[in-house]
Amino acid sequence: MTHSAAPQGEKKTNLLGMTEEELRKFFEEIGEAPYRGKQIFSWIYKKQISDFTPVTGFTKELRARLSEVAGIGYPEVVSAEESPTDGTTKLLLQLEDGNKIETVLIPREKSPDDEGSLRETVCVSTQVGCPLDCKFCATGAMKFTRNLTAAEVIGQVFIAQRYARKRVTNVVFMGMGEPLLNHETVSKVIRLLTDDSSVNIRARGITVSTAGIAEKLTLIAKDPVKFRLAISLHSLDDEVRSLLMPINRKYSLAQLLPAVREFYMLRRDRITFEYILFDGLNDTNADVARLTKLSRDIPLKINLLRYHPLDHLSRLGLEVDPVAHNLRPSARIEEFADRLRSNGITVFVRSNSGEDIDGACGQLAAKNARRTRKPKVNT
Ligand code: SF4
């Protein structure tokens, strides 16, 4: 692809999301010196410019020429909803094709496992909608539209950083979509975020959370890019897990857990398992015993989460009795955590950051989509 001046009405090349190598190639293709790619890389990712005006190392003519064929395109902020209780902010963003996604900014959360340091976390989406249909997730109720591009994923981090006016220290791939179904983009964005000529986020500040696509896990384990892994587990009983997460019918625990173990053996970094508690469904003594057995096989920690109440609770209620499997009060979550801890497992009871603004995965965009779509009837 060549990049002569984009004729009127033709799409300009978005330089956001490109690696340094891709930028060098781009400059070469427009007849400029490839080292310009290295220069612009730092302006795009370190200084996070939105246009070429501030690029002092370029002549006026080069900046004008560049503006004719290229741009630095970010998603557009449609709305921002801030929790009055914990400051969590949910940004609804519109993409170039009109699709909407969400990004959540979790300010100054104390890190429970990182020497208590303070952090500024951004939770990013990787897909528009999600094909996996987890029954506790609002995004799962939306139809899957497409994977996000690298520009759309890294753009979320930079927009959140601008909004917060603080340096982002942590990025979690835990928003709308299954990251491992867009793993090439996710891998590229992590490389860009951890590059020391870019925002230089440390690898331990990056977490990829997956519902458990076993074969992709095996693939990404061998990727040199560094990040921490979280598995959305919720049960170690295939029947219960399949009820909550239909993907478990395709990748059962017998496939998933060896892939997780292999990931650990290659990376030697403790894996986080996320576990939403439902009364009587996944909190029995047998569940404690299964989790304990797993902890002896794979070094792990468990994040216990409270289910966020929403009107899509009925999705779950169609298959799981909503009365019997109601929200757990905090004391009961602590009691389950203590049972695990007494077996030597590291457990964190996660705060409900943003619960009052529906700050869980997919909930704001799903709400927005529900205004324009016919509600999906769960089958
Ligand atoms: S929990 Fe994650 S993987 Fe499951 S439907 Fe929601 S976005 Fe998709």
Side-chain angles (χ1 to χ4, degrees):
M1 182 181 171
T2 51
H3 302 276
S4 52
Q8 243 186 351
E10 202 168 290
K11 224 170 153 232
K12 293 181 183 180
T13 302
N14 189 359
L15 302 190
L16 183 66
M18 284 191 181
T19 61
E20 189 181 313
E21 202 186 323
E22 287 169 339
L23 288 166
R24 291 174 83 91
K25 196 158 171 261
F26 168 80
F27 276 90
E28 208 174 353
E29 283 173 356
I30 62 166
E32 298 289 340
Y35 76 89
R36 296 289 189 196
K38 184 176 169 62
Q39 289 177 314
I40 202 78
F41 183 89
S42 168
W43 282 93
I44 294 172
Y45 297 108
K46 207 166 209 141
K47 302 205 168 69
Q48 291 160 32
I49 52 171
S50 304
D51 62 61
F52 304 113
T53 318
V55 185
T56 46
F58 287 9
T59 60
K60 202 172 156 200
E61 292 70 34
L62 178 55
R63 291 199 301 263
R65 167 121 201 273
L66 207 47
S67 303
E68 280 172 19
V69 293
I72 302 163
Y74 285 87
E76 193 187 318
V77 180
V78 176
S79 64
E81 203 177 341
E82 188 171 330
S83 162
T85 54
D86 61 19
T88 296
T89 303
K90 198 130 187 192
L91 302 171
L92 183 68
L93 307 179
Q94 180 157 308
L95 308 175
E96 213 183 346
D97 61 4
N99 279 305
K100 293 191 181 71
I101 54 164
E102 65 181 12
T103 304
V104 182
L105 180 63
I106 306 160
R108 289 295 178 206
E109 184 192 37
K110 263 205 168 99
S111 166
D113 57 340
D114 210 9
E115 294 98 43
S117 59
L118 292 176
R119 55 188 181 177
E120 202 77 23
T121 302
V122 177
C123 174
V124 295
S125 296
T126 52
Q127 297 182 311
V128 178
C130 180
L132 297 196
D133 198 25
C134 300
K135 300 302 178 192
F136 47 80
C137 170
T139 304
M142 299 167 68
K143 74 174 180 5
F144 168 69
T145 306
R146 67 172 173 87
N147 280 340
L148 297 186
T149 63
E152 290 164 342
V153 179
I154 203 164
Q156 295 174 61
V157 179
F158 293 171
I159 285 172
Q161 188 157 271
R162 276 182 202 170
Y163 187 89
R165 296 201 183 137
K166 284 179 196 134
R167 186 176 176 269
V168 165
T169 58
N170 291 62
V171 175
V172 292
F173 292 81
M174 220 178 263
M176 298 168 69
E178 163 52 57
L180 294 194
L181 292 179
N182 191 8
H183 68 98
E184 281 173 13
T185 296
V186 167
S187 170
K188 185 182 190 187
V189 169
I190 296 175
R191 263 183 283 134
L192 290 170
L193 289 172
T194 51
D195 190 310
D196 55 15
S197 312
S198 172
V199 270
N200 197 15
I201 294 178
R202 67 205 172 114
R204 290 180 70 74
I206 294 183
T207 303
V208 174
S209 173
T210 175
I213 314 291
E215 68 202 11
K216 301 282 186 194
L217 207 49
T218 304
L219 198 71
I220 208 163
K222 292 171 187 145
D223 188 324
V225 78
K226 298 269 182 301
F227 59 89
R228 299 182 109 176
L229 179 68
I231 304 290
S232 194
L233 183 69
H234 315 304
S235 179
L236 279 170
D237 176 305
D238 268 318
E239 204 180 317
V240 171
R241 192 164 191 267
S242 297
L243 186 70
L244 296 169
M245 307 175 75
I247 189 65
N248 193 69
R249 295 194 185 105
K250 185 165 181 197
Y251 301 104
S252 68
L253 291 161
Q255 286 169 280
L256 173 61
L257 296 177
V260 175
R261 190 164 199 288
E262 189 191 348
F263 188 96
Y264 172 77
M265 295 308 285
L266 285 167
R267 303 288 185 117
R268 297 283 172 184
D269 192 21
R270 196 159 58 146
I271 315 274
T272 299
F273 285 87
E274 290 147 13
Y275 203 95
I276 301 175
L277 278 184
F278 298 96
D279 280 359
L281 186 70
N282 61 356
D283 62 349
T284 63
N285 287 337
D287 292 302
V288 172
R290 287 186 200 105
L291 288 166
T292 304
K293 188 163 172 251
L294 179 66
S295 73
R296 299 202 171 128
D297 189 37
I298 304 172
L300 57 79
K301 62 180 177 175
I302 295 176
N303 279 348
L304 283 183
L305 301 145
R306 195 178 115 170
Y307 186 73
H308 285 200
L310 263 189
D311 56 0
H312 71 275
L313 184 68
S314 57
R315 297 184 75 236
L316 192 64
L318 288 176
E319 287 157 314
V320 180
D321 178 355
V323 179
H325 307 297
N326 213 336
L327 292 179
R328 293 184 64 93
S330 304
R332 296 185 67 185
I333 295 182
E334 287 297 347
E335 184 261 332
F336 187 77
D338 286 344
R339 279 151 72 196
L340 294 171
R341 284 184 191 124
S342 67
N343 288 347
I345 302 177
T346 305
V347 183
F348 297 108
V349 176
R350 304 299 294 169
S351 66
N352 292 317
S353 293
E355 188 172 357
D356 52 342
I357 56 159
D358 299 343
C361 159
Q363 298 188 3
L364 182 65
K367 256 206 269 185
N368 199 280
R370 279 197 298 270
R371 286 188 203 117
T372 53
R373 283 176 56 227
K374 268 173 78 172
K376 179 181 168 184
V377 179
N378 195 33
T379 50

